[in-house]
């Protein structure tokens, strides 16, 4: 098994990376992503639709390119792998949002500052995930049994999520946060959107910098779950990378879209846990039983759809009040 085989050429890799960097630059330089700005639901909805639309457009472009250059069957397979991977990564990123809400709430981060923190969080997430994807692909290429290790890990993680889905996060007991507060100079107040400030000639970190560190740590922790999960769908590094990037790039918009109604999707955590159990089982059974990509896409989509519908139905009275 050669886990690093990919149809993608060097120009395709370069072109996609340029696209990602271009979108980040557009956000920072044109839309003012580094500045204080309270994101409205309408704006978040527009960007969420735009990112989903770009992901779908990419899948169509990918299908067209492969159909013209390799063949229809291969094009169908790879485009389905991308869509399945994107759906898994997009859905698992929702779990990040629940933790982001806890972090922002604990530090009382003003809504206008949250956009800037998440922008730098996305930048860090892109680098971390790129490294982890390359490492995962290399491990699979060198040691095929790693897939079974990934599968077992995902099942255990999914079961743990099912058991502790309703447990409240006590951020005050976070070991990293305790360490930073004991050993770092942290100011008591925010200084606008700044991560560092100077008080009486002494340089301090602002609480916003602690928030950024915790946001980055959160994505690192969730990447440990989500990246092995997509390897259950495909071991093609280009598909894994592109689906991850589209999910991460749309994470900020999704956060601001769901931030005020996240409590209405409380059953989604159970759905995400079942998705992890399913993809983990798919990995463990791969040697004896192959689950087609289309079937995986339908199962994952069905689990998520049912959990969302049940969440909305069970909380409709709360929403009405």
């Amino acid at each position: 098994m050669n886990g690093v085989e990919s149809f993608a050429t060097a120009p395709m890799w370069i072109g996609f990376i340029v696209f990602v960097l271009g979108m980040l630059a557009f956000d920072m330089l044109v839309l003012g992503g580094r500045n204080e700005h309270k994101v409205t639901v309408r704006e978040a909805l527009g960007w969420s639709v735009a990112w989903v639309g770009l992901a779908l457009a990419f899948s169509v472009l990918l299908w067209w390119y492969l159909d013209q250059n390799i063949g229809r069957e291969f094009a169908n397979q790879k485009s389905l792998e991308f869509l399945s991977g994107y759906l898994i990564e997009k859905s698992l990123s929702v779990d990040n949002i629940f933790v982001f809400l806890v972090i922002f709430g604990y530090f009382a981060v003003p809504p206008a500052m949250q956009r800037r923190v998440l922008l730098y969080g996305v930048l860090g997430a892109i680098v971390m995930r790129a490294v982890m994807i390359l490492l995962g692909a290399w491990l699979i290429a060198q040691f095929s049994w790693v897939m079974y290790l990934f599968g077992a890990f995902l099942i255990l993680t999914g079961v743990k999520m099912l058991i502790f889905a309703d447990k409240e996060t006590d951020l005050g007991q976070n070991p990293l946060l305790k360490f930073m507060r004991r050993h770092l100079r942290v100011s008591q107040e925010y200084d606008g959107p700044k991560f560092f400030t100077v008080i009486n000639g002494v340089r301090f970190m602002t609480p916003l910098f602690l928030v950024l560190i915790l946001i980055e740590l959160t994505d690192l922790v969730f990447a440990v779950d989500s990246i092995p999960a997509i390897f259950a769908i495909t071991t093609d590094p280009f598909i894994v990378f592109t689906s991850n990037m589209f999910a991460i790039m749309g994470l900020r918009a999704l956060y601001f879209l769901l931030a005020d109604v996240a409590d209405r999707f409380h059953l989604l955590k159970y759905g995400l846990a079942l998705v992890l159990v399913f993809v983990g089982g798919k990995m463990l059974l791969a040697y004896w039983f192959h689950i087609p990509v289309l079937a995986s896409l339908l199962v994952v989509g069905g689990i998520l759809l049912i959990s969302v519908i049940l969440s909305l139905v069970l909380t409709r009275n709360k929403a009405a009040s």
Side-chain angles (χ1 to χ4, degrees):
M1 176 181 180
N2 189 352
V4 294
E5 285 185 351
S6 177
F7 64 87
T9 62
M12 293 175 69
W13 279 98
I14 294 172
F16 186 77
I17 292 172
V18 169
F19 164 75
V20 171
L21 295 177
M23 291 302 296
L24 288 172
F26 178 75
D27 190 343
M28 296 176 70
L29 301 177
V30 178
L31 300 180
R34 295 176 297 175
N35 303 325
E36 291 186 70
H37 170 61
K38 183 177 180 179
V39 179
T40 64
V41 173
R42 181 177 180 180
E43 183 182 351
L45 177 61
W47 273 108
S48 293
V49 171
W51 276 113
V52 172
L54 285 171
L56 294 177
F58 177 83
S59 69
V60 172
L61 182 63
L62 179 67
W63 180 90
W64 175 83
Y65 172 82
L66 295 175
D67 182 56
Q68 295 294 314
N69 292 276
I70 299 179
R72 179 67 52 87
E73 183 177 353
F74 189 81
N76 292 340
Q77 175 72 16
K78 290 302 176 182
S79 58
L80 277 176
E81 288 179 1
F82 171 81
L83 290 173
S84 299
Y86 175 67
L87 178 61
I88 288 175
E89 295 299 323
K90 191 75 171 176
S91 60
L92 291 177
S93 70
V94 174
D95 214 14
N96 292 48
I97 291 174
F98 291 115
V99 180
F100 291 170
L101 285 169
V102 172
I103 295 173
F104 286 140
Y106 180 83
F107 284 92
V109 180
M113 297 184 191
Q114 293 176 8
R115 183 174 181 234
R116 183 172 188 260
V117 174
L118 290 178
L119 173 63
Y120 285 99
V122 166
L123 288 171
I126 288 174
V127 175
M128 286 189 294
R129 294 205 175 205
V131 172
M132 293 181 69
I133 288 169
L134 292 175
L135 178 61
W138 179 83
L139 285 173
I140 292 172
Q142 300 298 315
F143 314 102
S144 59
W145 51 264
V146 168
M147 290 289 284
Y148 301 107
L149 186 62
F150 283 171
F153 172 75
L154 290 176
I155 290 177
L156 290 175
T157 302
V159 172
K160 182 180 177 181
M161 284 180 64
L162 285 172
I163 296 173
F164 297 104
D166 289 330
K167 184 178 179 180
E168 295 292 332
T169 301
D170 186 0
L171 195 60
Q173 299 302 315
N174 183 280
L176 177 62
L177 182 57
K178 287 183 175 181
F179 176 85
M180 290 190 296
R181 281 177 164 168
R182 282 198 305 263
H183 296 88
L184 301 176
R185 285 198 295 261
V186 183
S187 64
Q188 296 297 314
E189 303 293 337
Y190 290 106
D191 185 7
K194 296 178 180 178
F195 292 124
F196 298 91
T197 188
V198 177
I199 302 176
N200 297 325
V202 180
R203 189 174 182 82
F204 284 79
M205 295 178 181
T206 68
L208 203 62
F209 189 74
L210 298 187
V211 172
L212 177 61
I213 293 175
L214 291 175
I215 291 291
E216 296 288 8
L217 179 64
T218 297
D219 188 74
L220 177 61
V221 170
F222 283 108
V224 173
D225 296 335
S226 62
I227 290 178
I230 195 175
F231 278 118
I233 302 298
T234 179
T235 56
D236 189 311
F238 187 72
I239 298 295
V240 175
F241 182 74
T242 53
S243 58
N244 257 273
M245 290 305 103
F246 273 111
I248 288 297
M249 294 289 285
L251 178 59
R252 282 193 310 150
L254 188 62
Y255 167 80
F256 290 111
L257 183 63
L258 299 180
D260 294 332
V261 295
D263 57 335
R264 294 206 62 197
F265 295 93
H266 66 289
L267 292 182
L268 188 55
K269 290 186 177 181
Y270 294 96
L272 297 175
L274 291 176
V275 167
L276 289 178
V277 171
F278 169 73
V279 296
K282 183 179 187 296
M283 282 179 155
L284 292 180
L285 295 174
Y287 182 79
W288 300 276
F289 181 69
H290 173 68
I291 301 177
V293 177
L294 180 58
S296 298
L297 177 62
L298 293 175
V299 170
V300 172
I303 291 173
L304 296 174
L305 181 62
I306 290 172
S307 63
V308 168
I309 291 175
L310 287 177
S311 295
L312 293 175
V313 169
L314 293 176
T315 58
R316 64 182 182 277
N317 292 333
K318 181 178 180 180
S321 62

